[in-house]
């Protein structure tokens, strides 16, 4: 039994208008639950839209500025979506569902980033459970840094530490972007995305704390592939404002959708409001169809176990 926090339960997401492209057996065999299908639908709904405004991205993929109307080389960023479900809700299966939805529409390149190299087996399990082939999951660590990735389709799996690695002027980030192509429209799943927390320098108790390298490279990847369908996945993503500083595809700042002109403005304002302000952000995101956070109801689960003996 899934439940939500009291604050989130008071808000309803928009009526879904997106119809996923999934094989019939996914429904007939119940390979995705109704709650998991809901995630696939709302991710697809978010990915069908772009953030407000046009932007210029510099060659380092670090700096994004608002572009004037009709300015040359300006890009639009595709809207992202955040899955905040707790343990046991099947986040990996839901990510696989989103990737499969895209795969069935011809977008057969995807990127799956996670915290641990061992989690590739979980990714393969979830992908195969929906009818995929284990060979579709490509382990980036098996490909030499600097070499071109010799696959025309597949789900490229790597860890955050691998993503940030570089040597002798060669980087994994550049390797991934070259494989995806600048017009890449497939999905990028940032699993356990709180690993990219503190993506900007902040004032700490002992002075300025530098931005994390994982957060920086995560932002660069998003900036380099503006049309990518980004999925953020974390059960703790909306508990600390620093854990949202990498989530530029939610439109929380700079776009006019929310009243924050920059990432710094957003972080400073929400930090001042504490947990209550974070709850407001989470509720607003859910109301826009950009966030779902459900967890197992332990009370009902324990009652069921008791009744069944």
């Amino acid at each position: 039994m899934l439940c939500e926090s009291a604050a989130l339960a008071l808000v309803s997401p928009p009526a879904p208008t997106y119809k996923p492209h999934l094989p019939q057996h996914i429904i007939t065999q119940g390979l995705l639950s109704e709650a998991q299908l809901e995630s696939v639908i709302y991710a697809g709904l978010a990915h069908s839209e772009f953030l407000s405004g046009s932007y210029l991205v510099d060659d380092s993929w670090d700096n994004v500025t608002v572009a004037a109307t009709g300015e040359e080389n300006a890009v639009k960023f595709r809207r992202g979506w955040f899955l905040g479900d707790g343990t046991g809700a099947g986040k990996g299966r839901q990510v696989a569902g989103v990737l499969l939805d895209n795969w069935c529409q011809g977008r057969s390149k995807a990127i799956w980033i996670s915290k641990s190299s061992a989690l590739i087996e979980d990714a393969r399990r979830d992908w195969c459970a929906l009818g995929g082939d284990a060979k579709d999951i490509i382990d980036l660590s098996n490909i030499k840094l600097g070499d071109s990735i010799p696959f025309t389709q597949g789900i490229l799996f790597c860890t955050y530490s691998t993503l940030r690695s570089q040597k002798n002027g060669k980087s994994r980030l550049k390797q991934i972007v070259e494989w995806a192509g600048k017009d890449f429209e497939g999905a990028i799943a940032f699993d356990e995305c709180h690993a990219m927390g503190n993506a900007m320098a902040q004032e700490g108790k002992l002075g300025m704390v530098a931005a994390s390298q994982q957060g920086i490279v995560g932002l660069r990847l998003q900036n380099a592939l503006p049309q990518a369908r980004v999925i953020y996945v974390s059960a703790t993503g909306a508990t600390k404002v620093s854990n949202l500083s990498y989530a530029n595809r939610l439109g929380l700042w700079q776009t006019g959708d929310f009243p924050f002109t920059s990432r710094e403005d957003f972080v400073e304002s929400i930090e001042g409001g504490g947990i209550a302000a974070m709850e407001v952000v989470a509720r607003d995101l859910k109301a826009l169809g950009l966030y779902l956070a459900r967890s197992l109801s332990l009370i009902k689960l324990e009652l069921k176990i008791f009744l069944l003996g």
Side-chain angles (χ1 to χ4, degrees):
M1 182 73 178
L2 293 179
C3 64
E4 293 181 298
S5 69
L8 282 180
L10 293 173
V11 180
S12 296
T17 56
Y18 176 82
K19 184 177 180 179
H21 296 67
L22 295 172
Q24 191 65 32
H25 73 272
I26 300 295
I27 309 300
T28 58
Q29 297 178 23
L31 299 182
L32 289 172
S33 68
E34 290 185 2
Q36 292 170 336
L37 280 169
E38 185 180 20
S39 294
V40 176
I41 290 168
Y42 278 107
L45 181 63
H47 293 157
S48 64
E49 301 175 346
F50 285 82
L51 299 179
S52 303
S54 298
Y55 303 89
L56 294 173
V57 181
D58 70 357
D59 292 338
S60 69
W61 303 323
D62 277 323
N63 300 304
V64 177
T65 55
V66 177
T69 302
E71 190 165 351
E72 189 178 1
N73 297 323
V75 299
K76 294 186 75 68
F77 287 107
R78 189 180 299 277
R79 193 178 296 279
W81 187 76
F82 202 117
L83 175 61
D85 283 358
T87 302
K91 292 192 291 294
R93 183 73 67 94
Q94 294 175 68
V95 169
V98 174
L99 300 191
L100 181 60
D101 178 28
N102 282 278
W103 190 286
C104 291
Q105 296 179 67
R107 294 185 284 271
S108 55
K109 278 186 177 180
I111 301 165
W112 192 328
I113 306 167
S114 197
K115 287 183 69 174
S116 166
S117 58
L119 292 175
I120 191 171
E121 296 306 324
D122 291 349
R124 285 179 172 141
R125 176 202 65 206
D126 291 322
W127 177 247
C128 292
L130 299 184
D133 191 322
K135 294 179 181 178
D136 294 332
I137 310 287
I138 304 163
D139 189 346
L140 182 60
S141 65
N142 290 334
I143 301 172
K144 186 178 178 181
L145 176 62
D147 287 356
S148 60
I149 300 172
F151 299 96
T152 57
Q153 66 177 35
I155 300 166
L156 192 65
F157 184 94
C158 75
T159 63
Y160 291 103
S161 58
T162 298
L163 179 64
R164 72 170 187 261
S165 62
Q166 55 185 342
K167 187 177 182 181
N168 299 327
K170 301 174 183 179
S171 73
R172 288 294 191 184
L173 175 61
K174 185 178 179 181
Q175 185 182 34
I176 292 170
V177 171
E178 288 179 349
W179 174 74
K182 65 177 182 179
D183 296 325
F184 176 72
E185 294 187 347
I188 302 177
F190 289 105
D191 192 14
E192 304 290 350
C193 58
H194 52 267
M196 297 188 293
N198 303 312
M200 54 171 277
Q202 288 182 279
E203 185 71 36
K205 293 180 179 179
L206 301 177
M208 290 299 295
V209 178
S212 73
Q213 287 302 307
Q214 290 183 172
I216 290 172
V217 77
L219 284 169
R220 286 174 181 162
L221 179 59
Q222 295 175 74
N223 293 338
L225 302 173
Q227 297 184 61
R229 289 164 161 78
V230 174
I231 316 156
Y232 306 108
V233 185
S234 172
T236 60
T239 56
K240 291 175 59 179
V241 66
S242 61
N243 280 350
L244 285 177
S245 58
Y246 54 78
N248 58 357
R249 294 298 186 91
L250 297 180
L252 289 166
W253 54 82
Q254 205 171 32
T255 64
D257 295 339
F258 286 82
F260 306 106
T261 57
S262 66
R263 178 184 293 107
E264 291 76 14
D265 180 28
F266 167 74
V267 171
E268 182 179 351
S269 299
I270 300 303
E271 275 188 335
I275 290 295
M278 286 298 293
E279 285 185 348
V280 171
V281 170
R283 289 175 60 184
D284 286 351
L285 288 173
K286 182 187 174 184
L288 292 170
L290 304 180
Y291 180 65
L292 283 178
R294 301 152 300 185
S295 58
L296 293 179
S297 174
L298 295 180
I299 294 176
K300 292 183 179 179
L301 181 60
E302 289 169 359
L303 178 60
K304 184 177 181 181
I305 293 172
F306 173 77
L307 293 175
L308 292 175

